[in-house]
Structure formats: structure tokens, C-alpha cells
Amino acid sequence: MPTSTENTIDRAPRIVLVLAFLVLMLEGYDIIMYGTVVPSLLTYSSWSVTPEDAGHIGSLAVLGMLFGALGAAVLNDRLGRRRVLIGSVLLFSIAMLAAAAAGSPGQLGAFRFLVGVGAGSLLPTAVAMVIEYSPASRRGLNTAIAFTGVGLGGILASLLGTWIAPNYGFRLMFAIGALPALIIVPMLWLRLPESLTYLSMRGRHDEARRTAERLGVSLPVITPRTTARGAGLETVRALVTSRHLISTLLFSAAVFFCLLVLFGANAWLPSLMIKAGYGVSSSLAFLLVLNIGATAGTLLASPIADRIGFKPVIVAAFLGAAGSLSLLAAKPSTLVVVALVAIAGLGTNGTQILINAYVGSYYPADLRAAALGIVLGVGRIGGILGPTYGAMVIADLSPSWQFHAFAIPAAIGAAFITWMPRRVDIPPRLRHAAVDPSATR
């Protein structure tokens, strides 16, 4: 008898994907907007903020994301995905409003940390919900679609920041980040379903059946083994047992190196390009190309991953980033540079999105949310160290080796994914045929 099987979903309830897109767009704005208000903070005479102070305040949000992701690993199975997701949006929205009224740099840093906690707990929860309510043949694509919300939120932050921050100051930018919650939170409360896996794990079978009937999906099969994991900490312990320990460590290491390159490149790519001989304006434009490449590339790569498996696509994306970053050291023509930077975007930000979908598809349904929380939480350390790593590269290496220094961690990330033990990373037609998914791990 199989110990656990996942629910077979033939079509994705659109409301889950739409709501995930909206909350990730709000999260994207709230995280990325900080860079647009730094000049206003530095010229705010009442506080006398130094560049170092501004950097420390910015890093607190990333640190908060680490704690938020780890907290979600436990709370998702104690409180439910729905409550954690709504609570996360409330937390970072209230923190944004509080940041708008901050009375000192210290208070602003504390509120930015809380923004990070909310954003960090939102990410694994949203991914888990999207994957659970997606057919196996569209898990990668639906995750990519949802994460385009983060990019759109960042674009909105950049566009608003160029007008609002210089003319009205940083406080209005923070307040704007909180206002959409007045609409989105009621929408979540009224329309977001609870995870069917969570309801079944908690013995709320009637509610699970009504939810499945309303959405037109089938129920997951939950056994006593799975139900026993519903206490939160027990779920986390299951991820570090001999059966799952290797995969959890490998995923965490891959995310660490992915975020190391991602945050380092986003912080230092313009400086790298300037040192390579490109003008300031074109160097800033390359940062836009990096993010466009990540979004477009992920939307193109995710259906391929859904068809042939996530592992080969992620390895190829990692190696693409490593190769393109190394080739930039050769100072090719501008057109080639644009193509290489776009590939690097897919291999960094795009790879992280694909890994999110891979983690969510790799583990059994009852471990999915906790696994995403642990992997994203531990891997977030790479995001914290990325800007510092980039600063060391800029200061200590020659211009050509600076690009190689960013390529090496991407190659290491590819190696960790290559070593991933086999589970169910197989084409959907075979995945549907398996009675017991655990037999194919």
C-alpha cells in the first residue's frame, strides 16, 4: 500500500494563480523599492544617513527573509498555508506603513526587517500553493507565471521611484507599498482556498472534500504516516532524516550559490560593466537586460522543464550563466554582450524560480511547504553574502577575473543539482502513471 500520493489536478484553479501573482507583485514592490529611496534617505537632513547606514538598513530586509522562510517551514503545517500567506501579506504591509512613519534610521531598519520576515514567509507558501493547485504538466510554467509578479512589482517600484522619491521623499514610497493590502487581503480572505493536503493532514476531511468539489479537483490521499507529520516541527524533522537529508542539503546548497550570484550580480553588474569599459548609461541598461532575460527566459524554459524534467533544465541554466559571465570577460561586441547578459539573467533569477518549482515537485505533498521554507531559508544566506562577495571581487580582482568570480559559483550550483538523487523528476505522462510516487524517487 502506498504511504502517500499527491492529488491529481487536471486543471489549475485560476484564482490561486491570480492571487499568488498579486501577492508576489506586492512583495516585489516592497522589497525592490528600497533601492529607489536610498538617494532620498542620504539627503534627508533630519537623520544624516551615511551610505554605510543605508546599506545596513537594506541588508536587514534580506536577513528578515531568512527568518521568515524558516518560520514558514514550521508554521505552514501548524496554521495552514492560507493563514500563513494572509498573515505574511499583513505583516509586510503593516511594516511598510510603519516604515513610512519611522522616526529614526534604527526604526526604519527594524521595520524593513519585518518586511523581510513577511516576504520570506510568503515566498515558500505561495510556491507551495501554486504547485499544489497546478497539474503536473504545468507546475514549472505556473510557478514562472506567478513569479513574474515579483518582476512587475520591481518595475512599478522603479517607475514610481524615479518620480515620487525625488519630489515627495521616501515616506510616500513606503506608504504606497502598504495601500494595495487594503484590497488584496480581503480578496485573499474571501477567495483563497486552503491547501487540501493541510486540511487532510489535520483531519478536516469534510472541508477538504467541499473545497475540492468547489474547485473541481481531486483530493490527495493522506495516510496516518502523513497525518502524523502535521505538527510542524515533525515535518521539519522528516526533512533531515536519512531519506531526505541529502536532497535537502543539495537543494539548500544550490539555492545558496544561486542567490550568491543573483544578489551579487544585481548589486555589482553595473560596476563590473563600467570597469570593463562600458559607459554608465549602458551599464545600467544591462541591469534591465539581466532582469528581462530572467523573466522571458524562465517563461520559455519552464514548459520544457515540465516536459523533460527540472534537473536538466536547471543544470543547463546554471551552466549558461557560468558560461555567459565568463565570456563577458572577453569584451565581445555590444550585441553579443546583451545576449550574454540576458542568458545570465535566466541562469540566476530564472534558475531560482525553476529551483522553487523543482523543490515543490520533488518532495511528497505533505513535506512540500516545509521543504520550500527550509531550502529558501538556508539558501537565503547566499543572498545576504552576495553583495559583500561582489564588493570583495571588485576590490581584489582584475576586471577579467571579476566576471569569472561570478561564473564559478554558478558552475558549483550546477554540480549540486546534478548530484540530486532521483525522485519523480520524470515526464508528466509517466508521473501520472505511477501509483506510488515514492517508488520513483
Side-chain angles (χ1 to χ4, degrees):
M1 172 183 260
T3 54
S4 154
T5 63
E6 299 189 27
N7 47 320
T8 302
I9 293 181
D10 299 319
R11 62 183 181 86
R14 291 181 180 178
I15 189 62
V16 176
L17 186 57
V18 169
L19 291 175
F21 174 87
L22 290 175
V23 296
L24 288 172
M25 182 173 66
L26 182 57
E27 183 266 352
Y29 175 94
D30 289 357
I31 292 296
I32 297 172
M33 58 77 59
Y34 181 74
T36 71
V37 304
V38 168
S40 298
L41 286 172
L42 296 177
T43 58
Y44 189 58
S45 58
S46 299
W47 285 1
S48 300
V49 174
T50 65
E52 291 76 14
D53 295 332
H56 292 153
I57 293 172
S59 65
L60 286 171
V62 183
L63 180 63
M65 294 180 76
L66 184 156
F67 287 98
L70 294 177
V74 175
L75 295 178
N76 270 312
D77 287 326
R78 285 187 176 273
L79 303 178
R81 288 37 155 185
R82 183 174 183 273
R83 289 181 183 175
V84 172
L85 193 146
I86 295 174
S88 299
V89 175
L90 279 173
L91 175 59
F92 66 65
S93 297
I94 292 173
M96 286 289 286
L97 191 61
S104 67
Q107 290 182 11
L108 180 61
F111 295 137
R112 286 299 291 172
F113 175 81
L114 293 177
V115 169
V117 172
S121 61
L122 171 69
L123 288 174
T125 307
V127 173
M129 291 289 282
V130 168
I131 289 176
E132 175 167 354
Y133 281 107
S134 295
S137 60
R138 283 181 58 93
R139 285 177 173 175
L141 179 59
N142 284 355
T143 301
I145 291 172
F147 268 83
T148 59
V150 177
L152 182 57
I155 292 172
L156 290 174
S158 299
L159 293 175
L160 290 175
T162 58
W163 169 54
I164 291 177
N167 296 304
Y168 300 98
F170 66 90
R171 297 187 185 274
L172 183 56
M173 284 292 292
F174 283 109
I176 289 174
L179 293 178
L182 297 175
I183 298 175
I184 292 178
V185 169
M187 289 176 60
L188 294 171
W189 186 263
L190 294 173
R191 301 300 304 277
L192 182 69
E194 181 55 272
S195 159
L196 297 177
T197 300
Y198 170 77
L199 292 175
S200 299
M201 288 165 59
R202 306 300 287 186
R204 293 158 60 177
H205 301 296
D206 291 340
E207 184 179 351
R209 185 175 61 256
R210 290 194 300 270
T211 301
E213 291 174 353
R214 175 168 56 87
L215 296 175
V217 300
S218 60
L219 284 169
V221 177
I222 301 295
T223 66
R225 183 209 70 169
T226 308
T227 304
R229 288 180 178 170
L233 287 176
E234 290 299 319
T235 310
V236 174
R237 291 191 189 101
L239 291 170
V240 294
T241 61
S242 57
R243 184 178 185 184
H244 298 290
L245 177 60
I246 298 300
S247 56
T248 302
L249 290 175
L250 288 173
F251 273 127
S252 298
V255 172
F256 173 92
F257 285 103
C258 182
L259 294 183
L260 182 77
V261 180
L262 172 60
F263 279 78
N266 273 296
W268 292 104
L269 180 63
S271 297
L272 288 173
M273 301 307 288
I274 290 172
K275 284 202 168 189
Y278 296 92
V280 174
S281 58
S282 59
S283 297
L284 292 173
F286 287 137
L287 189 59
L288 178 61
V289 172
L290 184 79
N291 288 282
I292 291 175
T295 301
T298 307
L299 290 174
L300 293 173
S302 53
I304 300 175
D306 283 327
R307 185 172 183 82
I308 69 172
F310 289 99
K311 179 188 285 189
V313 176
I314 293 172
V315 170
F318 260 134
L319 293 179
S324 61
L325 288 169
S326 291
L327 288 173
L328 286 173
K331 300 181 181 179
S333 65
T334 301
L335 185 60
V336 174
V337 169
V338 170
L340 291 175
V341 171
I343 294 172
L346 168 61
T348 52
N349 193 10
T351 298
Q352 179 56 52
I353 296 172
L354 291 170
I355 292 177
N356 291 340
Y358 189 15
V359 173
S361 300
Y362 185 92
Y363 290 90
D366 55 322
L367 294 180
R368 179 180 295 139
L372 283 162
I374 292 293
V375 168
L376 291 177
V378 175
R380 185 64 58 181
I381 298 173
I384 296 172
L385 298 178
T388 302
Y389 175 77
M392 294 170 58
V393 166
I394 291 288
D396 299 333
L397 298 179
S398 64
S400 61
W401 270 101
Q402 289 169 1
F403 290 104
H404 296 313
F406 278 105
I408 291 171
I412 295 173
F416 283 120
I417 294 297
T418 301
W419 296 330
M420 189 65 59
R422 182 174 178 268
R423 197 254 172 185
V424 289
D425 190 19
I426 57 176
R429 64 181 183 279
L430 299 180
R431 195 179 302 160
H432 285 310
V435 175
D436 181 7
S438 65
T440 62
R441 289 178 206 135

